[in-house]
Amino acid sequence: MFVVRGICRLHDALTDAGYAAGALALFSMAAIYCFEVVTRYFLGVATDWANDTFSNLLVITIFAMVPHATRAGQHIAISLLWELVPSWRTGLKFITGIVGVAVCVFAAWMSFGENLRHIEMELVTEQNHPLPKIWMSAWISYGFIGAALYFLRGLIPLEAVKPQSWITPKRTETVGEL
Amino acid sequence: MEWYWTLTIGIVLLVALFMTGAPIFLAFLIIIVSGVVMLLGNSAFGMVVNSIYETGTTASLGTVPLFILLGEILFRSGCMEVLLNSIDKLVGRVRGRQYILSISLSTVLGALSGSAIAVGAMLGRSLLPIMRGRGYDTKLSIGTILAGACLAPIIPPSILAIIVGTLADVSIASLLIAGVIPGIFLAGLFIAACLIKVRLNPSLAPTEEEGEKIDLKGKLHAAAGLLPFTFIIFMVMGLIMLGVATPSESAATGVFGAIMTAAYYKRLSFRMLYESVGEAALLASVIMLILCSAVMFTQLLAFTGATAALTEVVTTMDVNRWVMFFMMMLLPFILCMFIDQLGLMLIVIPIYLPILEALQFDPVWFWLLFLLNITLGAITPPFGYVMFAVKAAAPDVSMGEIFNASWLFVGLTLFGMLVMAAFPDIVTFLPELVQ
């Protein structure tokens, strides 16, 4: 159990790091475009990296946050059946958890295969200043595998696997909800 | 398998998965993975990941997290309270003034946040108790909040407009600007309806309201209090209209404007900024993940040949284009009563896109009306999101009362849409002017 707890805490810590990375990426996106507008219209010098960096940061913002969104039960869902037939709620949540694990693991596996291809073929982005594609595509695998683990942890009724967050402690009240 | 079976099974399965309460992105992924395995085989897995990567790096979609961030900063900094007080002073002492205040506020708040739920929840908590306390009719008060909130998705900055623009390949700038006049027009229509109702039935509003009378100096002071907010609107809409910034860039400058506004009111703090950025990134991630999945779903639909075949069927049907238009509007209006706007939008847009091209309607005009139409879903029983937000903010009001409150404004919005259908210039005038 000690090992399981340790792995879960490591997973939580990585998710917190992803949260920080996603937030930082979003703030940087805003800052970069403000900088671009100022340099282009007030200084007459357009940058050749702002658009590319903005796009790269966008994919980080999206996928770095996915594990945290799953941990906090923030994914958008339509709870129509849950509301109409409350007695089905537990069963549907359990099935959703299993499906969540299966689909996210599968998506992570597909993405990981693509990551390996990016590394082997040394693929770079089609941008003014090309970067290794793996730097961005790895976040997709991170997002899906992190989400899959939270779906899995949500299925196990043990205190040791209960998700925690240090970076967003207020969110702990919804932690574990699928 | 015939295309219509593929299309029907795909959509029915997707809607069924939505209904089970599974996260929307999971529902899409299930259909996509099953579809890819059955239709294309294992070799196409890379295509799925690359499609997600391409969508995730589409710069125009970066507008979504930035607009969310703008709204988060304004809400978390408490700047919205300043806005509320200033508009309250400016409305004047007309009988039924709180109805005007409610609609004006929700329109402006919608323009600043782009989120109908946020506006509904905020006004439900702050303004509704005041209105009820002062003797205003509860049903009409809730109706004005619901109606004003439903304008948020069409008045820029609108997140839904950006998503529609991206998926339908319509100029996002045009779609954003196109919402300005219809938004003001509908707000005017709502206010007029309330004043007429109060005139016909004076018991809907109290005769005398407590509170100080605001003199000219006070009103000027209140107007000055609104100036920082006009700065934000200028940083978003002004820069687009002047051709200085693209929609994504204007969203970033809007964020800068919101930070400056918070600083002006001495409400800027590192903690507030940190929480706003974190929450905005989280919400954006959730929305964008669905979008990444939905785009792949669209590509899969096209690959099966269903989209092309459906277009051929529709274009060879001997049906008047206006009848088609009516049907294309009726379908989302009914479905949005039961399905989430975003989910429905992502299913319907790829199917409508080729049909729309064949019918030769102005895309900006059509998608703006479509946006307004699906927005109605948020205030239409039985599953209107904004209604639930108002209910959460005012637990003592029954759900039945909230449902009843919306119908007048649903009717008015439909009337407004008819006017916009008959006079397309209301929608297309500004985008054409800017172009």
Side-chain angles (χ1 to χ4, degrees), chain B residues 73-87:
Chain B
I73 292 171
L74 290 180
F75 273 109
R76 286 176 183 273
S77 63
C79 288
M80 292 302 193
E81 289 161 29
V82 180
L83 188 71
L84 195 147
N85 292 334
S86 297
I87 296 182

Side-chain angles (χ1 to χ4, degrees), chain B residues 3 40 62 78 97 113 161 165 174 184 212 251 254 270 272 275 278 282 340 348 354 362 413 416:
Chain B
W3 67 269
L40 305 168
R97 63 184 293 280
S113 75
S174 296
I184 295 169
E212 54 177 331
F270 176 77
M272 181 280 291
E275 286 178 355
L282 173 64
D340 168 62
V348 165
D362 182 315
T413 310

Side-chain angles (χ1 to χ4, degrees), chain B residues 215-296:
Chain B
D215 58 7
L216 185 65
K217 194 180 166 191
K219 289 201 172 186
L220 285 174
H221 192 257
L226 289 176
L227 281 178
F229 294 98
T230 56
F231 173 64
I232 299 174
I233 293 170
F234 171 77
M235 292 296 268
V236 178
M237 291 313 298
L239 294 188
I240 294 179
M241 292 176 85
L242 290 172
V244 172
T246 63
S248 302
E249 289 169 348
S250 72
T253 53
V255 170
F256 174 74
I259 293 173
M260 289 297 107
T261 303
Y264 174 81
Y265 288 119
K266 297 185 173 58
R267 293 171 189 236
L268 182 65
S269 69
F270 176 77
R271 187 178 180 79
M272 181 280 291
L273 204 54
Y274 167 75
E275 286 178 355
S276 301
V277 175
E279 283 301 303
L282 173 64
L283 188 55
S285 165
V286 165
I287 293 173
M288 297 291 290
L289 185 61
I290 296 173
L291 259 182
C292 290
S293 317
V295 170
M296 185 62 217

Side-chain angles (χ1 to χ4, degrees), chain A residues 40-41 62 76 80 171, chain B residues 19 24 244 249 279 285 383:
Chain A
R40 193 169 65 223
Y41 285 95
I62 299 167
I76 300 171
L80 179 62
R171 285 271 179 208
Chain B
M19 294 300 182
I24 292 178
V244 172
E249 289 169 348
E279 283 301 303
S285 165
F383 298 109

Side-chain angles (χ1 to χ4, degrees), chain B residues 64-257:
Chain B
V64 174
L66 292 176
F67 277 157
I68 295 173
L69 177 57
L70 191 162
E72 281 287 333
I73 292 171
L74 290 180
F75 273 109
R76 286 176 183 273
S77 63
C79 288
M80 292 302 193
E81 289 161 29
V82 180
L83 188 71
L84 195 147
N85 292 334
S86 297
I87 296 182
D88 190 10
K89 286 176 185 165
L90 284 174
V91 167
R93 293 175 72 85
V94 187
R95 183 157 190 189
R97 63 184 293 280
Q98 291 283 344
Y99 297 131
I100 304 173
L101 174 68
S102 170
I103 294 166
S104 314
L105 255 180
S106 47
T107 307
V108 177
L109 290 177
L112 291 169
S113 75
S115 163
I117 294 179
V119 174
M122 189 193 169
L123 291 186
R125 263 197 308 270
S126 54
L127 193 62
L128 185 59
I130 299 172
M131 291 176 82
R132 293 173 75 197
R134 290 182 185 175
Y136 280 82
D137 181 62
T138 302
K139 202 171 93 176
L140 194 55
S141 304
I142 292 173
T144 56
I145 292 173
L146 292 173
C150 101
L151 296 180
I154 62 159
I155 298 176
S158 158
I159 293 157
L160 287 185
I162 296 157
I163 296 172
V164 169
T166 306
L167 290 179
D169 200 20
V170 179
S171 158
I172 293 173
S174 296
L175 209 50
L176 284 173
I177 294 166
V180 175
I181 297 178
I184 295 169
F185 166 65
L186 284 172
L189 199 63
F190 296 154
I191 290 174
C194 285
L195 292 180
I196 291 170
K197 273 198 79 126
V198 170
R199 182 122 185 137
L200 293 175
N201 181 4
S203 68
L204 292 171
T207 334
E208 284 292 324
E209 269 197 56
E210 287 174 17
E212 54 177 331
K213 190 178 177 191
I214 312 294
D215 58 7
L216 185 65
K217 194 180 166 191
K219 289 201 172 186
L220 285 174
H221 192 257
L226 289 176
L227 281 178
F229 294 98
T230 56
F231 173 64
I232 299 174
I233 293 170
F234 171 77
M235 292 296 268
V236 178
M237 291 313 298
L239 294 188
I240 294 179
M241 292 176 85
L242 290 172
V244 172
T246 63
S248 302
E249 289 169 348
S250 72
T253 53
V255 170
F256 174 74

